[in-house]
Amino acid sequence: MKKLYSLLKNFHQKYPAGFWGLVILTLLIFTGLFAEFISLVDPLAQDYTLKFTPPLWSQAGKWPHILGTDVLGRDVLSRLIYGARLSLFIGLFAVAVGAIFGIPIGLISGYYGGKIDSVVMRLIDLMLAFPSLLLAICIVAILGPSLVNAVIAIGLVSIPPFARLVRARVLGEREKDYVLADRAMGKSTFSIIFGSILQNIWGPLLVLITLGMGGAILDAAGLSFLGLGAQPPTPEWGALIAEGKNYVFQAYWLIFFPGLAIFVTVMAFNIFGDALRDYADPKTK
Amino acid sequence: MFSVIVRRIFSMIPTLLGLSLVVFLIVKAIPGDPAQLLLGDKANAQSLKALRTELGLDSPIFVQYGKFVYRTFIEGDLGRSIASSEPIWDIIKVKFPATVELAIFATFLAILIGIPLGILAADRKGSWLDSLAISTSIFGVSIPVFWLGLILIWIFGLNLGVLPMSGRMDIIFDYEPITGMVLIDSLLQSDLELWWSSFTHIILPGVTLSTIPLAFIARITRASMLEVLKEDYVRTARAKGLSKIKVVMKHALKSALPNIVTIVGLQLGALLAGAMITETVYSWPGIGTWILSSVHARDIPALEAGILLVALTYMIINLFVDIVLMIVDPRVRIT
């Protein structure tokens, strides 16, 4: 506990922005985990008599609808709180898909080199020949629009960055002494690649995972906004904006707060990820 | 250098074939029967079968792919849209210039702000300008583009009422396209009112679209300038008593330029495709909104052409970047 405290203190001194990113992310995780206890109102409960109640600080505001209500009288704040849980799920799941496929591809391609490597890299380059959003839209068009499919699409599109980063790192590692020692000791190739080498390149991977989660949340919100991701009444933040955009004339709070939530969350991932990168490799600062 | 460029162009052919294969497979994988879509729900089995034969849908898949490549690249025939039954070429001729116009406008904005900001930030590391550059680059990659777009519409279109909220120009104008880019055509036709109308219409989507490239350009410019400013020859130039502007603009910027050119090119390519969200927010009649509506309508031929067009544009911009790199960076020419 003491060690964690001094580590955080050190991190705060060196990277104040990154530290605040971490604080926001911790709050977000907390909100997502305990959404039932934090939200005052059921996020799906409708009440037509409360339609378009403005936020509490304006004159017509009504407790407990702190951030107002939408066209069906649903509470905006509760929907945002449940949306936090969804966003965490989106970030984790999308990055997991990218990492589960991308890391082994990069490890194997980088370690063996030769024909395997050139075939794999050709395929990766082909994927990179498409703008990632377009590719994600194509995948959603094949699978059908839903939040899960949007997340799968974003995950698949994030395979190339993982594969490329891991491959580049493995190329630098595979001739190092510890790998030679492992080989001399007769360790299996599998345990060299997925044990020793993976352990030694974990730092930069962690950075990519952090930044990737922010990116995934942003992309998923974009797909939901285009009607290709989460469908109503799912309180995903992008979907909330898509629902609210038709009422921008009468109820700004329907788009303002969900967008702010996305913005702050993605920014927290980005500044924490940047700080993590500098922490792991101070040269890049 | 010329032979390198020629070789680079020829090396695109396998990529192009790979690309067309991916597009073909994606479109094949999208559920829905093109014959059914063309004839509607009430078509009888006989006419469906006849149309499938006519479209070549019952031949083996590699034959279909071969026909697709021949039809698209040799004959230049893209077919007709199912949704509007217009020839797809005619649709592209109208939509593509709209997207190009918007993407170029946004890129110009991003360059105009991003490069000076990055240079100043690197030159005065730790100053408020540096903080501004760093926050700009973090804001730009974190902000949801569609949200920014809606907020700008809400502020400038709705509350202040100073800028139009959607479309490319006011509907009173009778616009005859030459290049398809209204900003240029109106000047060619010396119609200043039309120019002003289209200019005010492009400001909000242009600003919205420019945030991401602005962030990247500022960031890369700052980082590569910081690297270069540390070099010995920059110190030498300073020691020789050259003015600061000359050292930064001539000596340092020249070495940092390849990185900047690369990122500008990548971003322009991404914009031509990533304009989808911005185009949707502002009802901009470009390729992005067209691809999206084709996805929703399962308009297979339109989708095929749209995806291929975007990927091709992306590829050609990359080629162009490589050529520009050879011009600004002599080290690249050898490889």
Side-chain angles (χ1 to χ4, degrees):
Chain A
M1 206 60 201
K2 220 172 178 182
K3 213 172 146 196
L4 184 70
Y5 176 75
S6 70
L7 190 73
L8 281 177
K9 205 175 156 191
N10 189 345
F11 191 69
H12 175 226
Q13 268 164 0
K14 277 192 181 145
Y15 307 100
F19 177 79
W20 287 112
L22 185 62
V23 170
I24 295 171
L25 292 181
T26 315
L27 280 175
L28 181 81
I29 293 169
F30 186 79
T31 314
L33 284 178
F34 301 107
E36 280 90 352
F37 303 99
I38 299 169
S39 61
L40 299 165
V41 192
D42 178 357
L44 297 177
Q46 306 178 2
D47 184 348
Y48 292 98
T49 57
L50 291 171
K51 180 178 170 183
F52 292 139
T53 307
L56 206 55
W57 51 86
S58 46
Q59 272 184 334
K62 279 196 197 84
W63 179 264
H65 304 292
I66 302 175
L67 296 182
T69 62
D70 67 4
V71 63
L72 298 174
R74 291 175 298 194
D75 184 57
V76 171
L77 182 61
S78 300
R79 289 171 72 69
L80 282 184
I81 291 172
Y82 278 85
R85 176 179 291 176
L86 280 177
S87 290
L88 286 172
F89 157 78
I90 291 164
L92 279 173
F93 194 75
V95 169
V97 171
I100 286 169
F101 290 100
I103 293 175
I105 291 173
L107 283 170
I108 292 167
S109 181
Y111 188 79
Y112 286 104
K115 275 218 176 84
I116 298 178
D117 186 40
S118 51
V119 169
V120 169
M121 281 303 125
R122 265 284 149 89
L123 287 177
I124 295 279
D125 282 342
L126 203 57
M127 267 182 93
L128 290 172
F130 291 88
S132 60
L133 184 68
L134 180 69
L135 205 54
I137 287 176
C138 292
I139 296 172
V140 174
I142 295 169
L143 300 175
S146 78
L147 182 58
V148 174
N149 290 344
V151 174
I152 292 173
I154 293 163
L156 291 177
V157 172
S158 69
I159 292 174
F162 273 103
R164 287 195 127 183
L165 175 84
V166 170
R167 174 180 173 270
R169 290 283 161 161
V170 173
L171 288 179
E173 295 289 319
R174 67 175 181 193
E175 304 299 330
K176 283 198 178 158
D177 286 345
Y178 71 86
V179 177
L180 298 180
D182 273 358
R183 255 185 236 148
M185 271 160 52
K187 267 197 186 176
S188 70
T189 315
F190 182 84
S191 82
I192 294 176
I193 299 178
F194 289 92
S196 319
I197 293 184
L198 189 54
Q199 217 166 38
N200 277 286
I201 60 170
W202 199 235
L205 264 178
L206 210 60
V207 176
L208 190 62
I209 286 172
T210 314
L211 295 174
M213 285 181 67
I217 292 172
L218 198 58
D219 290 347
L223 286 178
S224 296
F225 175 76
L226 296 176
L228 298 169
Q231 305 293 323
T234 317
E236 196 273 333
W237 291 340
L240 292 186
I241 298 179
E243 281 178 49
K245 75 165 194 268
N246 300 322
Y247 312 106
V248 62
F249 297 94
Q250 61 245 58
Y252 73 91
W253 56 92
L254 294 184
I255 56 161
F256 183 75
F257 297 111
L260 196 65
I262 303 172
F263 184 29
V264 170
T265 303
V266 175
M267 193 159 65
F269 274 112
N270 282 339
I271 55 183
F272 178 61
D274 280 349
L276 212 59
R277 180 197 341 244
D278 295 344
Y279 193 71
D281 184 13
K283 267 183 297 183
T284 56
K285 206 187 176 185
Chain B
M1 190 164 91
F2 185 69
S3 68
V4 181
I5 294 175
V6 171
R7 225 182 306 146
R8 178 71 179 68
I9 291 174
F10 274 103
S11 77
M12 276 174 36
I13 293 174
T15 320
L16 191 65
L17 283 175
L19 218 65
S20 64
L21 183 62
V22 173
V23 173
F24 176 76
L25 291 176
I26 286 174
V27 171
K28 272 273 150 233
I30 293 176
D33 179 359
Q36 187 94 58
L37 281 166
L38 276 169
L39 293 179
D41 292 335
K42 292 187 183 123
N44 61 23
Q46 249 178 331
S47 49
L48 276 177
K49 191 160 180 267
L51 186 63
R52 272 197 208 110
T53 316
E54 197 192 315
L55 293 172
L57 290 171
D58 48 5
S59 46
I61 193 148
F62 55 88
V63 176
Q64 290 187 40
Y65 172 63
K67 277 187 184 156
F68 165 67
V69 170
Y70 183 79
R71 185 168 58 79
T72 313
F73 295 109
I74 313 284
E75 290 183 334
D77 175 17
L78 295 175
R80 275 169 188 275
S81 155
I82 294 177
S84 68
S85 62
E86 277 173 90
I88 285 171
W89 263 123
D90 292 352
I91 302 177
I92 288 178
K93 262 185 238 159
V94 180
K95 307 262 179 194
F96 192 56
T99 298
V100 172
E101 184 174 38
L102 182 59
I104 289 180
F105 185 83
T107 308
F108 261 120
L109 262 184
I111 291 174
L112 231 54
I113 303 170
I115 293 183
L117 190 61
I119 294 174
L120 285 171
D123 185 43
R124 287 163 217 184
K125 193 170 185 269
S127 71
W128 65 271
L129 265 169
D130 192 21
S131 314
L132 180 71
I134 294 173
S135 12
T136 306
S137 66
I138 288 176
F139 272 43
V141 292
S142 308
I143 203 163
V145 173
F146 49 97
W147 181 63
L148 178 68
L150 289 170
I151 298 283
L152 290 178
I153 289 180
W154 188 68
I155 297 174
F156 292 99
L158 212 60
N159 285 337
L160 299 177
V162 286
L163 289 170
M165 297 185 275
S166 70
R168 287 180 80 190
M169 67 196 99
D170 292 318
I171 47 168
I172 52 162
F173 290 102
D174 197 14
Y175 166 61
E176 275 294 322
I178 304 171
T179 61
M181 290 183 249
V182 188
L183 278 177
I184 295 173
D185 290 354
S186 55
L187 287 182
L188 290 176
Q189 294 159 344
S190 51
D191 186 345
L192 284 180
E193 264 173 72
L194 175 61
W195 186 85
W196 180 249
S197 173
S198 61
F199 180 70
T200 51
H201 275 84
I202 207 173
I203 290 178
L204 288 185
V207 168
T208 307
L209 194 58
S210 73
T211 46
I212 295 175
L214 171 60
F216 279 106
I217 291 172
R219 189 181 187 141
I220 297 288
T221 308
R222 176 180 175 273
S224 25
M225 285 299 281
L226 276 180
E227 202 139 283
V228 176
L229 286 174
K230 272 189 247 159
E231 298 278 341
D232 286 341
Y233 71 90
V234 172
R235 204 182 322 144
T236 312
R238 273 198 182 146
K240 275 193 334 194
L242 283 184
S243 73
K244 196 169 175 186
I245 292 184
K246 227 175 182 173
V247 173
V248 172
M249 297 309 287
K250 213 174 150 196
H251 291 71
L253 188 59
K254 207 172 167 186
S255 313
L257 209 52
N259 287 338
I260 301 174
V261 169
T262 309
I263 199 78
V264 169
L266 281 175
Q267 289 302 316
L268 179 63
L271 281 198
L272 284 168
M276 257 176 260
I277 290 177
T278 308
E279 284 183 5
T280 305
V281 173
Y282 290 98
S283 321
W284 191 264
I287 291 292
T289 41
W290 180 52
I291 291 182
L292 272 171
S293 64
S294 307
V295 168
H296 286 296
R298 300 224 175 280
D299 188 343
I300 304 284
L303 210 52
E304 203 169 58
I307 302 169
L308 200 61
L309 177 70
V310 170
L312 256 177
T313 317
Y314 206 51
M315 197 167 93
I316 289 169
I317 288 176
N318 280 337
L319 169 77
F320 195 66
V321 169
D322 282 354
I323 293 173
V324 175
L325 274 183
M326 283 182 216
I327 297 167
V328 298
D329 188 359
R331 282 168 299 185
V332 182
R333 280 176 220 161
I334 307 159
T335 47

